[in-house]
Amino acid sequence: MINLQHIERYYRAGLAKNWVLRDVSIEIQEGEFVTIMGPSGSGKSTLLNIIGMLDTPDRGGYEFLDEPVHKFKERRRTELHKHYIGFVFQAYHLIDELTVYENIETPLLYRKIKGSERKAMVANILDEFNIVAKKDLFPHQLSGGQQQLVGVARAIIGKPKLLLADEPTGNLHSSQGEMIMDLFKQLHTDGMTILQVTHSEKNAKYGTRVIEIEDGYIRKDYAPTDG
Amino acid sequence: MIWNYLRIAYRNARKNKVIAGINIFGLALGVAACMLIATYVLHETSYDSWVPENDRIFRMYAAYKQDGEILKGTHFSANTAITVNQDFDEVMAAGRFMDNELFDGAGENNIRWDGDQNQHREDGFSYADQELITMLGVPMVYGENATALASPKTIVLSKSKSEKYFGKTNPIGKTLYLNSNDEDPYTISGVMEDFPSNSHLNYDFLITLTDVEFGEGEQTRWFQNNYFTYVQLKPNVDYTALEERVSRRIVGDYMAPAFVEAGYQQPGELERTLDLKLQPLANIHLHSGEISDTYTRGDIRFVWLFSIVGGLILLIAGINFINLSTARSANRAKEVGMRKVLGSHRKELIGQFLSESVLITLVAFVVGAALAQAVLPFFNQMVDQELVLPLASPLFLAVLIASALLVGLLAGGYPALYLSRFKPITVFSGGRSEGSGSSKLRSGLVVFQFAISIVLIAFTLVAHRQFNFMLDREVGYDRQQVIQLSSTDVLGDQVTTYRDEIQKISGVAAASISDYLPLSDTKRNGNTFYSEGKTEADNGTAGQAWVVDRFYLETLGLELVEGRNFPDQIPEGQNYTIVNEEMVSKLGLESPIGKKIQRGDRKDEIIGVVKDFEYFLYSDDKTYPLALFPGISSTLMSVKVDGQNIAQTLAALEETWDAFGAKMNFEYSFMDESFAQMYAQVERVRTLFSGFAILAIFIACLGLFALSAFMVERRQKEMSIRKVLGASGQNLFGLLTRQFLILNLIALLIGIPIAIYFMREWLQDYSHRIAISWDVFAIAAMIGLAFTLATISYHALRTVFANPMDSLRDE
């Protein structure tokens, strides 16, 4: 599904280059639940952004579903991620001015899904996530865990093939974190490909594969013990 | 989707009430001003468009070259219209107005209806041809447009005058007597609709010209010019080509021979100096600046001025909009980023921001229309019009909505492009959320706003001074404590006795009988003067011949520079005159006392020279040659009173008036007020302009107020840290305001030259004008700075006095 070949990413600081990713090659199959780990500044978020097509590598090739993303213009990339990728962020990034319902509905609007169908989809997921009672609240009226729940609901409502999560539990209490991770596990069981970035060993154990990154290089790539 | 956008727009507005309020209110103010200005401009430019075939109707005017200047006049001899109509196939009809007050019946009259004992004073009389009301298609209430003025001794009155005297009944056939002339009755033959407010004509009584002759030979003579002449051309006639032929024919074949025969001109002279022109009907109101007629009219320059000011006001409001939107970008950045992650294309985001700005503009337009409607009565008072906002007209609504869309797209365009450019990755990684490009643009726009404001302030100051100067300057006579009594001609032969009687009243310093006064709308004439014996040698000089009594100079405080006043008794066989200095210089007289001046066959000895005074011959205030002749011209009397107890003096005047058994009410006016009235147009423009300038500055300040809130908010943390580190309140205040003050100074540098340029241009139009002095700019700069400081101080001071820990705690 994802095929990264010799990806490099750097920032210019004067004449010098600050390397973020160096010669990263990864292949990820559909149905995997991959955890990217590493210390702060190791490049894991950048890797996630490149895979999510929010960022572009300076060098190297990226094929997503056998399409050469690195050759695409922005418009086509937007199309790709609109249809196949969902995002979950550490800081939730809900739109403050929209209610829970409207936040979840927004990706469907961009996919031009009809009103009645949209309503049904949102109602379903609200039900599934047990947040029907909260649908008319605004993000600031929710707890962190509830906001992230909405964030996940919004990410998967369009039935993406790939879910990208950047420290999804980073701002949450441990009990709320567990709830989110259980949710991910359930999604994975239902067949979704998931790629998460985390510091937490505990969270990594929910997945099927761990990639450790340090100073821009891939150091280790292994299956977690008792996953 | 659009609902989603609008919902966000609404919630954003609700969340930032102050900003949204300023955006909407500022824009609404601008829109209201623009609507009023547009209504005014449309009215001004719609003059005479009510005339059905106005594109084929022209007013004739004469361009006469004299002393290197071109004088343009609209008065023609009686037979001009008839001859043009006869001699040119292209001309379908020609018709005349004659409203020269020198002739009985025109202008103001005392009227009496058959069956009514009382006299009434009415203005707005003119003689008119039947052809003219046909040509103009004057709509009739009673009677036929095609025949109303066809018969001799008929009169048509306006609907409002008809209703004043006859209520709702049809007055046709009723008899009217003018000026107690009971042997000479007029019959009402029609009632016309009042001339609309966008007509250059404003007569209430039209007397037929059929079979009228003012003195023998007047209708066929070529050099007695009292008629406004209008022609209607056949379809598809090129009027510029025609006017040349008309000019050649009328001047060359008729006027010149007549003038030469009468000894007024050398052969060939008139052909060289006189051109006849055709002026399209629709141009009369706004494009007659140099043409001398007796109508009050508009001025295309004011139309431009106000259009520009209206545009600037809207521009300032639009700039507020742009600045506030981009300043707020930090708050919207996250939303933009997230929407992109959720699959939004940039195009869709642009659409979202545009629909937001269009929504705000639409609301602002609705509020603006309501505001405009609310202040319309005041505005009408200021422009002396009865304008109506066509709020119910579909075209108006369409234009309104289209303008709202346009303004929304223009003002929202840059913010939309700017905001939609944010990259999610930059936004989420907490990088700079605001490009330096936008803050540069914002500074530029603020400078632009400031510069406009400074130009407007300076212009307002100069206009104010110019106006005061015009009202207060020396004009050569003393208009203070002078009272004009009107309709004194009803006293008949008793008028001089009345004058002598009231001079005995203790509060009266002097009283003089004369219709000729240095006020506009009083009697004028036209004569050619020669110095004695030089009628053959030169062309003479055009001048006024005024009939005055011997108290004239004293009453008006005119100064004799040489010679003496008229004596009590003019010796038998002597003709005396007092001339002004301009006459002396135009005729080239050295030691003028005792010399004689000649007009026609008449010779008058100069016994005095009066210092030049301004007397409003044309609508300008230059001085032209003038000669005073002793006599009685009895409609108006001027009374100089002393400043003590004017009310008591007026009561005494009225008592005497009643004692003389006058059949009219005692009516008077103060000369200084009449003088100010002549500048009513200038005054109106000044008031309006100041009003709009203040509005523009206010809107700019609104924007600045909101903008400073953002700037201060953005630097809140910085300020808190500085404060903790020991910065004083003054320090912080200086830091926060410095940026705006610098922008203000740049604006000053840009604004002042522009202001100087426009003020010079504007002052050119006044023959008596002030010099532009530097303190105008000092004051404008002070006002600008004061407003800026006051506006931004609110937020700056709040920051200075805030507890620094409030903004540092949650870090």
Side-chain angles (χ1 to χ4, degrees), chain A residues 49 54-55 74-75 78-79 81-82 85 87 89 92-99 102-103 105-107 109-110 112 138 154, chain B residues 1 4-5 7-8 11-12 14-15 331-332 334-335 338-349 352 423-425 428:
Chain A
N49 286 336
L54 298 180
D55 201 355
E74 185 181 335
R75 203 185 155 76
T78 305
E79 281 303 313
H81 89 223
K82 178 154 102 185
I85 303 177
F87 280 90
F89 296 90
Y92 332 128
H93 289 322
L94 300 179
I95 297 177
D96 296 337
E97 286 76 21
L98 296 182
T99 62
E102 290 157 359
N103 260 293
E105 184 189 30
T106 304
L109 293 172
Y110 288 119
K112 314 255 189 292
F138 287 93
R154 185 179 62 180
Chain B
M1 192 56 128
N4 188 286
Y5 294 163
R7 210 148 46 209
I8 286 239
R11 286 181 191 152
N12 254 319
R14 215 174 43 179
K15 207 163 106 185
N331 307 351
R332 299 303 292 272
K334 201 183 108 188
E335 182 191 337
M338 199 56 233
R339 281 184 184 275
K340 283 196 172 170
V341 169
L342 295 177
S344 171
H345 290 297
R346 193 171 165 213
K347 211 171 65 187
E348 287 165 316
L349 284 165
Q352 175 184 350
K423 285 213 160 40
I425 181 138
F428 295 143

Side-chain angles (χ1 to χ4, degrees), chain B residues 392-408:
Chain B
S393 134
L395 179 70
F396 180 81
L397 290 178
V399 169
L400 202 64
I401 291 171
S403 336
L405 289 177
L406 188 70
V407 170

Side-chain angles (χ1 to χ4, degrees), chain B residues 22 130 143 253 277 284 324 327 373 445 449 527 549 552 617 681 726:
Chain B
I22 284 178
Q130 169 62 44
D253 293 358
K277 304 270 189 194
I284 292 177
L324 295 183
Q373 185 65 39
L445 291 175
Q449 276 186 324
N527 286 276
D549 65 7
Y552 192 77
L617 178 53
Q681 161 99 332

Side-chain angles (χ1 to χ4, degrees), chain B residues 705-721:
Chain B
F705 180 78
L707 199 55
S708 64
F710 278 120
M711 297 301 176
V712 169
E713 185 186 308
R714 215 161 42 98
R715 297 178 71 180
Q716 185 83 53
K717 194 177 152 200
E718 176 200 339
M719 292 300 139
S720 298
I721 294 169

Side-chain angles (χ1 to χ4, degrees), chain B residues 556-587:
Chain B
L556 295 183
L558 297 172
E559 192 186 330
L560 269 179
V561 289
E562 257 186 284
R564 58 195 167 104
N565 192 6
F566 297 121
D568 286 3
Q569 291 294 323
I570 310 280
E572 196 64 33
Q574 293 288 342
N575 289 328
Y576 287 161
T577 183
I578 296 173
V579 297
N580 70 354
E581 293 170 309
E582 182 69 13
M583 178 73 88
V584 171
S585 90
K586 273 274 153 59
L587 289 180

